[in-house]
Amino acid sequence: GESVGLHLPTLSVQEGDNSIINCAYSNSASDYFIWYKQESGKGPQFIIDIRSNMDKRQGQRVTVLLNKTVKHLSLQIAATQPGDSAVYFCAENSGTSGTYKYIFGTGTRLKVLA
Amino acid sequence: DSGVTQTPKHLITATGQRVTLRCSPRSGDLSVYWYQQSLDQGLQFLIQYYNGEERAKGNILERFSAQQFPDLHSELNLSSLELGDSALYFCASSVRQGGTEAFFGQGTRLTVV
């Protein structure tokens, strides 16, 4: 079946350190992936995306790595700040015959320690 | 502000009742997605519309239905409500059906008592 899962439900990091959040996906046909950040009481907020023809993409303080061989996605946050505390979701965009949907994992809670 | 508007923000209703959640997508976005998020859970895909037509369905209950209107706003109808339907319901929109980021609204928190 379709599933996108996360290895670590909670990640605690020291302020200033780098954070790495991992995600495994199951649909090898998925061609587009997104990382979202969700703060308490708010809707998911787009962070960064990557297409299947790439294996790395960098944004501001964030980097997404895609390993299609093992169907693995990771989000790296450099110099983690208190404002980065949130739940992070990876999502795969998959579809057939013109229908598309974003399948989300259960999320990883990132706690930034002062 | 993502540009996606959901109303109401909060809704409290009794079991057995019916409610309608409304979503206005970002200007220019043709695709609308509905998701359910239970406490400390991920986002469960319910249904997707593109330019007024249903395009994809997830694990949406038969008691739930949705539609997208000509002005592209969408409504999610939940009927015969049960306690287990209490959750956050999110709407997202994207300019295309896939391959592009989807922007989420702030959600409607539904509490069934």
Side-chain angles (χ1 to χ4, degrees), chain A residues 32 36 38 42-44 46 51 89 93 98-102 104-105 109, chain B residues 33 35 37 40 42-43 45 48 55 90 97-102 104-106:
Chain A
Y32 179 65
Y36 283 93
Q38 186 177 25
K42 297 185 178 180
F46 172 87
R51 301 191 186 281
F89 295 95
N93 188 209
T99 68
Y100 286 88
K101 50 189 173 183
Y102 299 87
F104 284 78
R109 185 176 303 278
Chain B
Y33 310 80
Y35 286 85
Q37 185 176 40
D40 289 334
L43 292 123
F45 171 73
Q48 182 224 349
R55 288 299 177 94
F90 287 103
Q97 292 191 77
T100 185
E101 62 266 34
F104 281 77
Q106 293 300 297

PDB file of all heavy atoms in Angstrom, chain A residues 32 36 38 42-44 46 51 89 93 98-102 104-105 109, chain B residues 33 35 37 40 42-43 45 48 55 90 97-102 104-106:
ATOM      1  N   TYR A  32       7.796  13.443  -6.877  1.00  0.00           N
ATOM      2  CA  TYR A  32       7.912  14.782  -6.291  1.00  0.00           C
ATOM      3  C   TYR A  32       7.711  14.651  -4.793  1.00  0.00           C
ATOM      4  O   TYR A  32       6.815  13.936  -4.344  1.00  0.00           O
ATOM      5  CB  TYR A  32       6.849  15.684  -6.917  1.00  0.00           C
ATOM      6  CG  TYR A  32       6.815  17.100  -6.400  1.00  0.00           C
ATOM      7  CD1 TYR A  32       7.870  17.974  -6.606  1.00  0.00           C
ATOM      8  CD2 TYR A  32       5.698  17.566  -5.730  1.00  0.00           C
ATOM      9  CE1 TYR A  32       7.829  19.271  -6.142  1.00  0.00           C
ATOM     10  CE2 TYR A  32       5.642  18.863  -5.262  1.00  0.00           C
ATOM     11  CZ  TYR A  32       6.704  19.708  -5.470  1.00  0.00           C
ATOM     12  OH  TYR A  32       6.664  21.001  -5.015  1.00  0.00           O
ATOM     13  N   TYR A  36       7.164  19.630   4.924  1.00  0.00           N
ATOM     14  CA  TYR A  36       6.328  20.645   5.541  1.00  0.00           C
ATOM     15  C   TYR A  36       6.679  20.769   7.015  1.00  0.00           C
ATOM     16  O   TYR A  36       7.068  19.799   7.666  1.00  0.00           O
ATOM     17  CB  TYR A  36       4.842  20.274   5.440  1.00  0.00           C
ATOM     18  CG  TYR A  36       4.229  20.495   4.080  1.00  0.00           C
ATOM     19  CD1 TYR A  36       4.178  19.472   3.138  1.00  0.00           C
ATOM     20  CD2 TYR A  36       3.678  21.722   3.742  1.00  0.00           C
ATOM     21  CE1 TYR A  36       3.595  19.667   1.905  1.00  0.00           C
ATOM     22  CE2 TYR A  36       3.085  21.933   2.503  1.00  0.00           C
ATOM     23  CZ  TYR A  36       3.055  20.896   1.586  1.00  0.00           C
ATOM     24  OH  TYR A  36       2.476  21.100   0.361  1.00  0.00           O
ATOM     25  N   GLN A  38       4.904  22.031  10.619  1.00  0.00           N
ATOM     26  CA  GLN A  38       3.625  22.385  11.225  1.00  0.00           C
ATOM     27  C   GLN A  38       3.833  22.806  12.672  1.00  0.00           C
ATOM     28  O   GLN A  38       4.243  22.008  13.513  1.00  0.00           O
ATOM     29  CB  GLN A  38       2.630  21.221  11.153  1.00  0.00           C
ATOM     30  CG  GLN A  38       1.240  21.610  11.637  1.00  0.00           C
ATOM     31  CD  GLN A  38       0.230  20.492  11.517  1.00  0.00           C
ATOM     32  OE1 GLN A  38       0.569  19.320  11.510  1.00  0.00           O
ATOM     33  NE2 GLN A  38      -1.054  20.851  11.397  1.00  0.00           N
ATOM     34  N   LYS A  42      -1.471  25.385  13.797  1.00  0.00           N
ATOM     35  CA  LYS A  42      -1.403  25.992  12.462  1.00  0.00           C
ATOM     36  C   LYS A  42      -1.418  24.923  11.376  1.00  0.00           C
ATOM     37  O   LYS A  42      -1.227  23.743  11.643  1.00  0.00           O
ATOM     38  CB  LYS A  42      -0.135  26.838  12.327  1.00  0.00           C
ATOM     39  CG  LYS A  42      -0.083  28.014  13.285  1.00  0.00           C
ATOM     40  CD  LYS A  42       1.142  28.866  13.019  1.00  0.00           C
ATOM     41  CE  LYS A  42       1.183  30.080  13.926  1.00  0.00           C
ATOM     42  NZ  LYS A  42       2.371  30.928  13.668  1.00  0.00           N
ATOM     43  N   GLY A  43      -1.632  25.377  10.161  1.00  0.00           N
ATOM     44  CA  GLY A  43      -1.584  24.465   9.038  1.00  0.00           C
ATOM     45  C   GLY A  43      -0.153  24.184   8.616  1.00  0.00           C
ATOM     46  O   GLY A  43       0.765  24.948   8.942  1.00  0.00           O
ATOM     47  N   PRO A  44       0.088  23.083   7.918  1.00  0.00           N
ATOM     48  CA  PRO A  44       1.436  22.785   7.434  1.00  0.00           C
ATOM     49  C   PRO A  44       1.954  23.892   6.524  1.00  0.00           C
ATOM     50  O   PRO A  44       1.216  24.429   5.702  1.00  0.00           O
ATOM     51  CB  PRO A  44       1.243  21.477   6.662  1.00  0.00           C
ATOM     52  CG  PRO A  44       0.014  20.864   7.245  1.00  0.00           C
ATOM     53  CD  PRO A  44      -0.872  22.034   7.581  1.00  0.00           C
ATOM     54  N   PHE A  46       4.923  24.952   3.790  1.00  0.00           N
ATOM     55  CA  PHE A  46       5.907  24.435   2.837  1.00  0.00           C
ATOM     56  C   PHE A  46       7.313  24.882   3.226  1.00  0.00           C
ATOM     57  O   PHE A  46       7.559  26.046   3.556  1.00  0.00           O
ATOM     58  CB  PHE A  46       5.557  24.956   1.441  1.00  0.00           C
ATOM     59  CG  PHE A  46       6.588  24.669   0.391  1.00  0.00           C
ATOM     60  CD1 PHE A  46       6.561  23.471  -0.305  1.00  0.00           C
ATOM     61  CD2 PHE A  46       7.579  25.593   0.093  1.00  0.00           C
ATOM     62  CE1 PHE A  46       7.496  23.210  -1.282  1.00  0.00           C
ATOM     63  CE2 PHE A  46       8.522  25.335  -0.879  1.00  0.00           C
ATOM     64  CZ  PHE A  46       8.485  24.135  -1.563  1.00  0.00           C
ATOM     65  N   ARG A  51      12.412  17.096  -6.785  1.00  0.00           N
ATOM     66  CA  ARG A  51      11.868  16.195  -7.800  1.00  0.00           C
ATOM     67  C   ARG A  51      12.745  14.955  -7.903  1.00  0.00           C
ATOM     68  O   ARG A  51      13.911  14.972  -7.509  1.00  0.00           O
ATOM     69  CB  ARG A  51      11.780  16.911  -9.147  1.00  0.00           C
ATOM     70  CG  ARG A  51      10.913  18.148  -9.081  1.00  0.00           C
ATOM     71  CD  ARG A  51      10.564  18.759 -10.415  1.00  0.00           C
ATOM     72  NE  ARG A  51       9.861  20.016 -10.199  1.00  0.00           N
ATOM     73  CZ  ARG A  51       8.577  20.090  -9.875  1.00  0.00           C
ATOM     74  NH1 ARG A  51       7.857  18.995  -9.762  1.00  0.00           N
ATOM     75  NH2 ARG A  51       8.000  21.267  -9.681  1.00  0.00           N
ATOM     76  N   PHE A  89       6.780  17.082   8.490  1.00  0.00           N
ATOM     77  CA  PHE A  89       6.208  16.009   7.682  1.00  0.00           C
ATOM     78  C   PHE A  89       6.888  15.953   6.333  1.00  0.00           C
ATOM     79  O   PHE A  89       7.138  16.989   5.715  1.00  0.00           O
ATOM     80  CB  PHE A  89       4.716  16.257   7.425  1.00  0.00           C
ATOM     81  CG  PHE A  89       3.841  16.222   8.638  1.00  0.00           C
ATOM     82  CD1 PHE A  89       3.505  17.384   9.299  1.00  0.00           C
ATOM     83  CD2 PHE A  89       3.327  15.017   9.101  1.00  0.00           C
ATOM     84  CE1 PHE A  89       2.684  17.354  10.410  1.00  0.00           C
ATOM     85  CE2 PHE A  89       2.505  14.982  10.210  1.00  0.00           C
ATOM     86  CZ  PHE A  89       2.184  16.152  10.859  1.00  0.00           C
ATOM     87  N   ASN A  93       4.295  12.980  -3.612  1.00  0.00           N
ATOM     88  CA  ASN A  93       3.248  13.311  -4.569  1.00  0.00           C
ATOM     89  C   ASN A  93       3.205  12.190  -5.582  1.00  0.00           C
ATOM     90  O   ASN A  93       4.158  11.984  -6.330  1.00  0.00           O
ATOM     91  CB  ASN A  93       3.583  14.638  -5.223  1.00  0.00           C
ATOM     92  CG  ASN A  93       2.455  15.162  -6.087  1.00  0.00           C
ATOM     93  OD1 ASN A  93       2.676  15.867  -7.048  1.00  0.00           O
ATOM     94  ND2 ASN A  93       1.228  14.828  -5.742  1.00  0.00           N
ATOM     95  N   GLY A  98      -3.596  10.894 -14.354  1.00  0.00           N
ATOM     96  CA  GLY A  98      -4.010  12.276 -14.167  1.00  0.00           C
ATOM     97  C   GLY A  98      -4.527  12.610 -12.792  1.00  0.00           C
ATOM     98  O   GLY A  98      -4.977  13.723 -12.562  1.00  0.00           O
ATOM     99  N   THR A  99      -4.505  11.681 -11.875  1.00  0.00           N
ATOM    100  CA  THR A  99      -4.914  11.992 -10.506  1.00  0.00           C
ATOM    101  C   THR A  99      -3.688  12.040  -9.620  1.00  0.00           C
ATOM    102  O   THR A  99      -2.789  11.209  -9.755  1.00  0.00           O
ATOM    103  CB  THR A  99      -5.880  10.927  -9.958  1.00  0.00           C
ATOM    104  OG1 THR A  99      -5.179   9.696  -9.783  1.00  0.00           O
ATOM    105  CG2 THR A  99      -7.026  10.711 -10.908  1.00  0.00           C
ATOM    106  N   TYR A 100      -3.654  13.021  -8.765  1.00  0.00           N
ATOM    107  CA  TYR A 100      -2.494  13.179  -7.899  1.00  0.00           C
ATOM    108  C   TYR A 100      -2.943  13.419  -6.470  1.00  0.00           C
ATOM    109  O   TYR A 100      -3.984  14.005  -6.230  1.00  0.00           O
ATOM    110  CB  TYR A 100      -1.631  14.351  -8.370  1.00  0.00           C
ATOM    111  CG  TYR A 100      -0.845  14.039  -9.606  1.00  0.00           C
ATOM    112  CD1 TYR A 100      -1.393  14.246 -10.861  1.00  0.00           C
ATOM    113  CD2 TYR A 100       0.429  13.522  -9.521  1.00  0.00           C
ATOM    114  CE1 TYR A 100      -0.686  13.956 -11.993  1.00  0.00           C
ATOM    115  CE2 TYR A 100       1.157  13.233 -10.661  1.00  0.00           C
ATOM    116  CZ  TYR A 100       0.592  13.448 -11.893  1.00  0.00           C
ATOM    117  OH  TYR A 100       1.304  13.159 -13.020  1.00  0.00           O
ATOM    118  N   LYS A 101      -2.147  12.975  -5.537  1.00  0.00           N
ATOM    119  CA  LYS A 101      -2.406  13.268  -4.142  1.00  0.00           C
ATOM    120  C   LYS A 101      -1.071  13.330  -3.414  1.00  0.00           C
ATOM    121  O   LYS A 101      -0.073  12.769  -3.857  1.00  0.00           O
ATOM    122  CB  LYS A 101      -3.317  12.230  -3.513  1.00  0.00           C
ATOM    123  CG  LYS A 101      -2.895  10.796  -3.753  1.00  0.00           C
ATOM    124  CD  LYS A 101      -3.993   9.847  -3.287  1.00  0.00           C
ATOM    125  CE  LYS A 101      -3.668   8.418  -3.671  1.00  0.00           C
ATOM    126  NZ  LYS A 101      -4.752   7.482  -3.295  1.00  0.00           N
ATOM    127  N   TYR A 102      -1.085  14.024  -2.319  1.00  0.00           N
ATOM    128  CA  TYR A 102       0.097  14.121  -1.472  1.00  0.00           C
ATOM    129  C   TYR A 102      -0.124  13.187  -0.289  1.00  0.00           C
ATOM    130  O   TYR A 102      -1.081  13.338   0.458  1.00  0.00           O
ATOM    131  CB  TYR A 102       0.287  15.560  -0.987  1.00  0.00           C
ATOM    132  CG  TYR A 102       0.497  16.554  -2.112  1.00  0.00           C
ATOM    133  CD1 TYR A 102      -0.589  17.143  -2.729  1.00  0.00           C
ATOM    134  CD2 TYR A 102       1.769  16.892  -2.542  1.00  0.00           C
ATOM    135  CE1 TYR A 102      -0.415  18.052  -3.759  1.00  0.00           C
ATOM    136  CE2 TYR A 102       1.957  17.799  -3.562  1.00  0.00           C
ATOM    137  CZ  TYR A 102       0.861  18.370  -4.173  1.00  0.00           C
ATOM    138  OH  TYR A 102       1.039  19.266  -5.198  1.00  0.00           O
ATOM    139  N   PHE A 104       1.192  11.869   3.232  1.00  0.00           N
ATOM    140  CA  PHE A 104       2.019  12.348   4.326  1.00  0.00           C
ATOM    141  C   PHE A 104       2.405  11.227   5.277  1.00  0.00           C
ATOM    142  O   PHE A 104       1.632  10.295   5.501  1.00  0.00           O
ATOM    143  CB  PHE A 104       1.263  13.404   5.131  1.00  0.00           C
ATOM    144  CG  PHE A 104       1.194  14.740   4.464  1.00  0.00           C
ATOM    145  CD1 PHE A 104       0.300  14.967   3.436  1.00  0.00           C
ATOM    146  CD2 PHE A 104       2.013  15.773   4.877  1.00  0.00           C
ATOM    147  CE1 PHE A 104       0.238  16.199   2.809  1.00  0.00           C
ATOM    148  CE2 PHE A 104       1.950  17.010   4.267  1.00  0.00           C
ATOM    149  CZ  PHE A 104       1.067  17.227   3.233  1.00  0.00           C
ATOM    150  N   GLY A 105       3.589  11.361   5.859  1.00  0.00           N
ATOM    151  CA  GLY A 105       3.991  10.490   6.941  1.00  0.00           C
ATOM    152  C   GLY A 105       3.390  10.974   8.252  1.00  0.00           C
ATOM    153  O   GLY A 105       2.675  11.970   8.294  1.00  0.00           O
ATOM    154  N   ARG A 109       8.552  15.206  15.571  1.00  0.00           N
ATOM    155  CA  ARG A 109       8.548  16.418  16.382  1.00  0.00           C
ATOM    156  C   ARG A 109       9.978  16.821  16.662  1.00  0.00           C
ATOM    157  O   ARG A 109      10.746  16.041  17.223  1.00  0.00           O
ATOM    158  CB  ARG A 109       7.795  16.183  17.682  1.00  0.00           C
ATOM    159  CG  ARG A 109       7.639  17.442  18.530  1.00  0.00           C
ATOM    160  CD  ARG A 109       6.803  17.167  19.775  1.00  0.00           C
ATOM    161  NE  ARG A 109       5.500  16.641  19.438  1.00  0.00           N
ATOM    162  CZ  ARG A 109       4.465  17.383  19.081  1.00  0.00           C
ATOM    163  NH1 ARG A 109       4.582  18.686  19.009  1.00  0.00           N
ATOM    164  NH2 ARG A 109       3.298  16.821  18.812  1.00  0.00           N
TER     165      ARG A 109
ATOM    166  N   TYR B  33      -7.415  20.092  -2.113  1.00  0.00           N
ATOM    167  CA  TYR B  33      -7.265  18.821  -1.403  1.00  0.00           C
ATOM    168  C   TYR B  33      -7.843  18.982   0.000  1.00  0.00           C
ATOM    169  O   TYR B  33      -7.687  20.025   0.615  1.00  0.00           O
ATOM    170  CB  TYR B  33      -5.788  18.440  -1.270  1.00  0.00           C
ATOM    171  CG  TYR B  33      -4.992  18.510  -2.552  1.00  0.00           C
ATOM    172  CD1 TYR B  33      -4.519  19.728  -3.037  1.00  0.00           C
ATOM    173  CD2 TYR B  33      -4.684  17.354  -3.267  1.00  0.00           C
ATOM    174  CE1 TYR B  33      -3.780  19.805  -4.200  1.00  0.00           C
ATOM    175  CE2 TYR B  33      -3.938  17.420  -4.435  1.00  0.00           C
ATOM    176  CZ  TYR B  33      -3.494  18.644  -4.895  1.00  0.00           C
ATOM    177  OH  TYR B  33      -2.747  18.702  -6.060  1.00  0.00           O
ATOM    178  N   TYR B  35      -7.789  17.189   3.875  1.00  0.00           N
ATOM    179  CA  TYR B  35      -7.080  16.264   4.751  1.00  0.00           C
ATOM    180  C   TYR B  35      -7.715  16.280   6.141  1.00  0.00           C
ATOM    181  O   TYR B  35      -8.259  17.296   6.576  1.00  0.00           O
ATOM    182  CB  TYR B  35      -5.607  16.666   4.901  1.00  0.00           C
ATOM    183  CG  TYR B  35      -4.772  16.379   3.678  1.00  0.00           C
ATOM    184  CD1 TYR B  35      -4.724  17.285   2.629  1.00  0.00           C
ATOM    185  CD2 TYR B  35      -4.028  15.210   3.585  1.00  0.00           C
ATOM    186  CE1 TYR B  35      -3.965  17.024   1.499  1.00  0.00           C
ATOM    187  CE2 TYR B  35      -3.262  14.941   2.466  1.00  0.00           C
ATOM    188  CZ  TYR B  35      -3.238  15.850   1.432  1.00  0.00           C
ATOM    189  OH  TYR B  35      -2.483  15.589   0.316  1.00  0.00           O
ATOM    190  N   GLN B  37      -6.733  15.480  10.174  1.00  0.00           N
ATOM    191  CA  GLN B  37      -5.627  15.259  11.103  1.00  0.00           C
ATOM    192  C   GLN B  37      -6.187  15.051  12.502  1.00  0.00           C
ATOM    193  O   GLN B  37      -6.684  15.981  13.127  1.00  0.00           O
ATOM    194  CB  GLN B  37      -4.646  16.425  11.089  1.00  0.00           C
ATOM    195  CG  GLN B  37      -3.407  16.181  11.946  1.00  0.00           C
ATOM    196  CD  GLN B  37      -2.408  17.310  11.853  1.00  0.00           C
ATOM    197  OE1 GLN B  37      -2.770  18.486  11.821  1.00  0.00           O
ATOM    198  NE2 GLN B  37      -1.111  16.978  11.807  1.00  0.00           N
ATOM    199  N   ASP B  40      -2.310  14.279  17.326  1.00  0.00           N
ATOM    200  CA  ASP B  40      -0.976  13.703  17.241  1.00  0.00           C
ATOM    201  C   ASP B  40      -0.826  12.691  16.105  1.00  0.00           C
ATOM    202  O   ASP B  40      -0.041  11.768  16.183  1.00  0.00           O
ATOM    203  CB  ASP B  40      -0.583  13.035  18.560  1.00  0.00           C
ATOM    204  CG  ASP B  40      -0.319  14.061  19.647  1.00  0.00           C
ATOM    205  OD1 ASP B  40       0.035  15.203  19.294  1.00  0.00           O
ATOM    206  OD2 ASP B  40      -0.481  13.738  20.828  1.00  0.00           O
ATOM    207  N   GLY B  42      -0.747  12.050  11.690  1.00  0.00           N
ATOM    208  CA  GLY B  42      -0.393  12.674  10.427  1.00  0.00           C
ATOM    209  C   GLY B  42      -1.620  13.145   9.689  1.00  0.00           C
ATOM    210  O   GLY B  42      -2.738  13.086  10.192  1.00  0.00           O
ATOM    211  N   LEU B  43      -1.386  13.597   8.497  1.00  0.00           N
ATOM    212  CA  LEU B  43      -2.476  14.108   7.658  1.00  0.00           C
ATOM    213  C   LEU B  43      -2.971  12.996   6.751  1.00  0.00           C
ATOM    214  O   LEU B  43      -2.228  12.474   5.924  1.00  0.00           O
ATOM    215  CB  LEU B  43      -1.975  15.287   6.834  1.00  0.00           C
ATOM    216  CG  LEU B  43      -1.656  16.507   7.689  1.00  0.00           C
ATOM    217  CD1 LEU B  43      -0.229  16.942   7.491  1.00  0.00           C
ATOM    218  CD2 LEU B  43      -2.609  17.634   7.347  1.00  0.00           C
ATOM    219  N   PHE B  45      -5.192  11.859   3.740  1.00  0.00           N
ATOM    220  CA  PHE B  45      -5.790  12.408   2.529  1.00  0.00           C
ATOM    221  C   PHE B  45      -7.231  11.939   2.397  1.00  0.00           C
ATOM    222  O   PHE B  45      -7.532  10.750   2.530  1.00  0.00           O
ATOM    223  CB  PHE B  45      -4.971  11.967   1.322  1.00  0.00           C
ATOM    224  CG  PHE B  45      -5.587  12.293   0.005  1.00  0.00           C
ATOM    225  CD1 PHE B  45      -5.620  13.597  -0.457  1.00  0.00           C
ATOM    226  CD2 PHE B  45      -6.141  11.292  -0.778  1.00  0.00           C
ATOM    227  CE1 PHE B  45      -6.183  13.902  -1.681  1.00  0.00           C
ATOM    228  CE2 PHE B  45      -6.708  11.593  -2.011  1.00  0.00           C
ATOM    229  CZ  PHE B  45      -6.731  12.893  -2.460  1.00  0.00           C
ATOM    230  N   GLN B  48      -9.542  14.941  -3.513  1.00  0.00           N
ATOM    231  CA  GLN B  48      -8.969  16.014  -4.316  1.00  0.00           C
ATOM    232  C   GLN B  48      -9.907  16.397  -5.446  1.00  0.00           C
ATOM    233  O   GLN B  48     -10.522  15.529  -6.081  1.00  0.00           O
ATOM    234  CB  GLN B  48      -7.621  15.605  -4.923  1.00  0.00           C
ATOM    235  CG  GLN B  48      -6.960  16.714  -5.743  1.00  0.00           C
ATOM    236  CD  GLN B  48      -6.379  16.244  -7.057  1.00  0.00           C
ATOM    237  OE1 GLN B  48      -6.269  15.044  -7.310  1.00  0.00           O
ATOM    238  NE2 GLN B  48      -5.991  17.169  -7.920  1.00  0.00           N
ATOM    239  N   ARG B  55     -10.900  14.192  -8.560  1.00  0.00           N
ATOM    240  CA  ARG B  55      -9.811  13.529  -9.257  1.00  0.00           C
ATOM    241  C   ARG B  55      -9.171  12.398  -8.472  1.00  0.00           C
ATOM    242  O   ARG B  55      -8.605  11.483  -9.049  1.00  0.00           O
ATOM    243  CB  ARG B  55      -8.724  14.544  -9.636  1.00  0.00           C
ATOM    244  CG  ARG B  55      -9.139  15.467 -10.742  1.00  0.00           C
ATOM    245  CD  ARG B  55      -9.457  14.692 -12.023  1.00  0.00           C
ATOM    246  NE  ARG B  55      -9.925  15.515 -13.103  1.00  0.00           N
ATOM    247  CZ  ARG B  55      -9.147  16.014 -14.053  1.00  0.00           C
ATOM    248  NH1 ARG B  55      -7.862  15.777 -14.035  1.00  0.00           N
ATOM    249  NH2 ARG B  55      -9.654  16.751 -15.019  1.00  0.00           N
ATOM    250  N   PHE B  90      -8.039  20.024   7.186  1.00  0.00           N
ATOM    251  CA  PHE B  90      -7.274  20.993   6.419  1.00  0.00           C
ATOM    252  C   PHE B  90      -7.663  20.935   4.950  1.00  0.00           C
ATOM    253  O   PHE B  90      -7.920  19.871   4.386  1.00  0.00           O
ATOM    254  CB  PHE B  90      -5.773  20.720   6.530  1.00  0.00           C
ATOM    255  CG  PHE B  90      -5.189  21.088   7.855  1.00  0.00           C
ATOM    256  CD1 PHE B  90      -4.889  20.107   8.792  1.00  0.00           C
ATOM    257  CD2 PHE B  90      -4.930  22.411   8.165  1.00  0.00           C
ATOM    258  CE1 PHE B  90      -4.339  20.446  10.016  1.00  0.00           C
ATOM    259  CE2 PHE B  90      -4.375  22.752   9.391  1.00  0.00           C
ATOM    260  CZ  PHE B  90      -4.084  21.774  10.317  1.00  0.00           C
ATOM    261  N   GLN B  97      -2.364  19.838 -10.679  1.00  0.00           N
ATOM    262  CA  GLN B  97      -2.798  18.638  -9.954  1.00  0.00           C
ATOM    263  C   GLN B  97      -1.656  17.986  -9.209  1.00  0.00           C
ATOM    264  O   GLN B  97      -1.858  17.251  -8.267  1.00  0.00           O
ATOM    265  CB  GLN B  97      -3.388  17.620 -10.931  1.00  0.00           C
ATOM    266  CG  GLN B  97      -4.684  18.051 -11.548  1.00  0.00           C
ATOM    267  CD  GLN B  97      -5.312  16.889 -12.276  1.00  0.00           C
ATOM    268  OE1 GLN B  97      -5.889  16.004 -11.670  1.00  0.00           O
ATOM    269  NE2 GLN B  97      -5.197  16.907 -13.588  1.00  0.00           N
ATOM    270  N   GLY B  98      -0.457  18.185  -9.642  1.00  0.00           N
ATOM    271  CA  GLY B  98       0.658  17.539  -8.969  1.00  0.00           C
ATOM    272  C   GLY B  98       1.960  18.165  -9.394  1.00  0.00           C
ATOM    273  O   GLY B  98       2.008  19.029 -10.262  1.00  0.00           O
ATOM    274  N   GLY B  99       3.026  17.729  -8.755  1.00  0.00           N
ATOM    275  CA  GLY B  99       4.338  18.215  -9.115  1.00  0.00           C
ATOM    276  C   GLY B  99       4.622  19.634  -8.697  1.00  0.00           C
ATOM    277  O   GLY B  99       5.571  20.257  -9.184  1.00  0.00           O
ATOM    278  N   THR B 100       3.806  20.133  -7.777  1.00  0.00           N
ATOM    279  CA  THR B 100       4.015  21.493  -7.299  1.00  0.00           C
ATOM    280  C   THR B 100       3.553  21.566  -5.847  1.00  0.00           C
ATOM    281  O   THR B 100       2.736  20.757  -5.418  1.00  0.00           O
ATOM    282  CB  THR B 100       3.249  22.497  -8.163  1.00  0.00           C
ATOM    283  OG1 THR B 100       3.563  23.824  -7.736  1.00  0.00           O
ATOM    284  CG2 THR B 100       1.750  22.312  -8.032  1.00  0.00           C
ATOM    285  N   GLU B 101       4.081  22.548  -5.144  1.00  0.00           N
ATOM    286  CA  GLU B 101       3.735  22.621  -3.728  1.00  0.00           C
ATOM    287  C   GLU B 101       2.254  22.921  -3.531  1.00  0.00           C
ATOM    288  O   GLU B 101       1.639  23.643  -4.307  1.00  0.00           O
ATOM    289  CB  GLU B 101       4.583  23.682  -3.010  1.00  0.00           C
ATOM    290  CG  GLU B 101       4.406  25.092  -3.504  1.00  0.00           C
ATOM    291  CD  GLU B 101       5.433  25.454  -4.561  1.00  0.00           C
ATOM    292  OE1 GLU B 101       5.828  24.578  -5.346  1.00  0.00           O
ATOM    293  OE2 GLU B 101       5.824  26.636  -4.595  1.00  0.00           O
ATOM    294  N   ALA B 102       1.726  22.320  -2.484  1.00  0.00           N
ATOM    295  CA  ALA B 102       0.364  22.594  -2.074  1.00  0.00           C
ATOM    296  C   ALA B 102       0.414  23.490  -0.850  1.00  0.00           C
ATOM    297  O   ALA B 102       1.221  23.273   0.047  1.00  0.00           O
ATOM    298  CB  ALA B 102      -0.368  21.290  -1.755  1.00  0.00           C
ATOM    299  N   PHE B 104      -1.474  25.110   2.440  1.00  0.00           N
ATOM    300  CA  PHE B 104      -2.504  24.718   3.379  1.00  0.00           C
ATOM    301  C   PHE B 104      -3.151  25.907   4.072  1.00  0.00           C
ATOM    302  O   PHE B 104      -2.493  26.912   4.359  1.00  0.00           O
ATOM    303  CB  PHE B 104      -1.913  23.798   4.454  1.00  0.00           C
ATOM    304  CG  PHE B 104      -1.727  22.383   4.010  1.00  0.00           C
ATOM    305  CD1 PHE B 104      -0.666  22.043   3.186  1.00  0.00           C
ATOM    306  CD2 PHE B 104      -2.619  21.400   4.381  1.00  0.00           C
ATOM    307  CE1 PHE B 104      -0.488  20.737   2.747  1.00  0.00           C
ATOM    308  CE2 PHE B 104      -2.455  20.087   3.958  1.00  0.00           C
ATOM    309  CZ  PHE B 104      -1.391  19.761   3.143  1.00  0.00           C
ATOM    310  N   GLY B 105      -4.432  25.738   4.361  1.00  0.00           N
ATOM    311  CA  GLY B 105      -5.127  26.692   5.192  1.00  0.00           C
ATOM    312  C   GLY B 105      -4.835  26.424   6.657  1.00  0.00           C
ATOM    313  O   GLY B 105      -4.077  25.509   6.996  1.00  0.00           O
ATOM    314  N   GLN B 106      -5.443  27.204   7.518  1.00  0.00           N
ATOM    315  CA  GLN B 106      -5.204  27.081   8.959  1.00  0.00           C
ATOM    316  C   GLN B 106      -6.040  25.983   9.593  1.00  0.00           C
ATOM    317  O   GLN B 106      -5.865  25.671  10.768  1.00  0.00           O
ATOM    318  CB  GLN B 106      -5.470  28.412   9.649  1.00  0.00           C
ATOM    319  CG  GLN B 106      -4.481  29.488   9.257  1.00  0.00           C
ATOM    320  CD  GLN B 106      -3.057  29.098   9.605  1.00  0.00           C
ATOM    321  OE1 GLN B 106      -2.705  28.916  10.752  1.00  0.00           O
ATOM    322  NE2 GLN B 106      -2.204  28.934   8.575  1.00  0.00           N
TER     323      GLN B 106
END
